[in-house]
Amino acid sequence: MAETTTTPVTAGSTDCSAGSAEGSAARAQAAVTAASSEAAGIPGTSGTSEPAPLHAAARSAGESATLRAENVMSDAELESRMSYADIKRRHTRPKSWLLFLVCLLAAIMVPYGIGRWLAFHRTAQITQVLAGIEPRGIALVSWGVTVFCFVFLLMAFMENMALRWTALFLVMLAGEQFIGGMCLLRARFWYSTYVVYGTEAGVANGANVGVLAAGVGLAVFALLYVLVLVLVDKRSPLNVLTKDWAALLTFLVIETIAYVAAVAWILPMFA
C-alpha cells in the first residue's frame, strides 16, 4: 500500500497571499477614487492639480487682465502705430469745427453788412464823426485791428484752436469787417468813398489803406516763411525764423514796415 505525501500549508503563507490581494484591491480603489475626484474637482484629493472651476476662473481672469493691459496704451504709443491720416481723424472735432465755421461766417457777414448800412443810410452822422479824425490815425486803428486779427488766428492754430485765441480772433475779425463795410472797402475803394462821403472821403480811404497794408504785410511774411522752409538749410542760422517766437517777431516787424510805407507813400494819394 503506497503512502500519500501531504504538503502542509502554513498560516503565514496564507496570510501573505490574503494581504497581497487586499493591498492590490486597496490601491486600485484609491486610484479610481483619485481619478473620480480629479474629474469632479473635489479639493484636497490631488496634490498637484487645482480644482477645475477655480483653475478656469483664474485663467479667464488672467486673460482679461492681459487684454486690458494690451488695450490701455498711452496716446504717444497709440499714435506711433497710426498713420498721419488716422491721427488727424482722431483729433478731428466735427462739432467744434462746425461751430467755428458758423461763427466765422457770422463775424464776416454781419459786421460788414451793418457797416455798409450805416454808410448808406446814416451818411450824415458818419461824415460828422469822420470830420474830426486824422487819416493817419484811422489808418493806424484799422491796421492794428487787422494785424491783431492775424496774430490771434496764428496763436489759435499754434495752440490747436484754443478757445481764448479763437474768440479773440473772431472779435478782431468782426471789428475789421465793420471798418471795411463802413469805409466801403473794395478793389477800387476811392471812387465809392468819394461818392458817399465827399470831402471826408480821405478818412475812409485812410482806414482802407491801413487794412490793405496789413494784408500786404501778411502776404510778404507768408512768402518769406515758405522760402525759408524750402530753400534754407536746417543747419543755417536763418532757420531760426521758423521758430514760433521768431516767426511772430518777424511778422510784427514786416507789418510795421508795411504800415510806415503805406502811410508815407500810399495814403497821401487818397487823403
Side-chain angles (χ1 to χ4, degrees), residues 27-190:
R27 285 194 295 272
Q29 183 66 29
V32 172
T33 304
S36 61
S37 300
E38 290 179 0
I42 301 175
T45 58
S46 178
T48 58
S49 61
E50 295 181 357
L54 295 178
H55 180 68
R59 183 171 54 192
S60 61
E63 291 176 354
S64 300
T66 303
L67 291 175
R68 286 195 299 268
E70 291 177 353
N71 291 331
V72 176
M73 293 188 298
S74 63
D75 292 340
E77 293 176 351
L78 184 61
E79 291 185 357
S80 64
R81 303 183 182 183
M82 300 169 62
S83 64
Y84 180 76
D86 292 334
I87 293 174
K88 286 297 182 183
R89 282 193 292 268
R90 185 169 182 263
H91 289 284
T92 300
R93 297 168 293 178
K95 293 182 180 180
S96 299
W97 280 104
L98 180 60
L99 178 62
F100 171 72
L101 290 177
V102 171
C103 294
L104 180 64
L105 291 176
I108 292 174
M109 298 175 63
V110 175
Y112 187 85
I114 293 174
R116 285 184 66 88
W117 185 88
L118 291 175
F120 287 110
H121 296 86
R122 297 291 184 270
T123 308
Q125 290 85 342
I126 298 298
T127 303
Q128 291 178 358
V129 173
L130 295 180
I133 300 177
E134 177 70 21
R136 288 177 295 181
I138 193 66
L140 178 62
V141 171
S142 62
W143 171 84
V145 171
T146 309
V147 168
F148 277 104
C149 175
F150 296 151
V151 169
F152 292 145
L153 178 61
L154 182 63
M155 295 297 294
F157 273 111
M158 287 193 300
E159 295 195 10
N160 197 20
M161 300 305 291
L163 180 60
R164 60 182 181 277
W165 298 118
T166 304
L168 289 173
F169 159 69
L170 292 174
V171 170
M172 288 298 172
L173 178 62
E176 184 271 331
Q177 288 295 107
F178 177 76
I179 294 173
M182 188 174 63
C183 296
L184 307 175
L185 179 61
R186 52 187 300 178
R188 305 179 70 177
F189 58 84
W190 49 90

Side-chain angles (χ1 to χ4, degrees), residues 219-242:
V220 172
F221 167 76
L223 179 62
L224 178 63
Y225 190 83
V226 172
L227 289 177
V228 171
L229 285 178
V230 175
L231 300 179
V232 177
D233 188 80
K234 292 184 178 181
R235 294 169 294 181
S236 174
L238 292 176
N239 197 44
V240 72
L241 296 177
T242 60

Side-chain angles (χ1 to χ4, degrees), residues 143 213 217 220 250-265:
W143 171 84
V220 172
T250 304
F251 172 72
L252 293 177
V253 170
I254 292 175
E255 286 288 358
T256 303
I257 295 173
Y259 169 75
V260 172
V263 170
W265 296 314

Side-chain angles (χ1 to χ4, degrees), residues 13-33:
S13 60
T14 304
D15 294 340
C16 289
S17 299
S20 298
E22 291 176 359
S24 299
R27 285 194 295 272
Q29 183 66 29
V32 172
T33 304

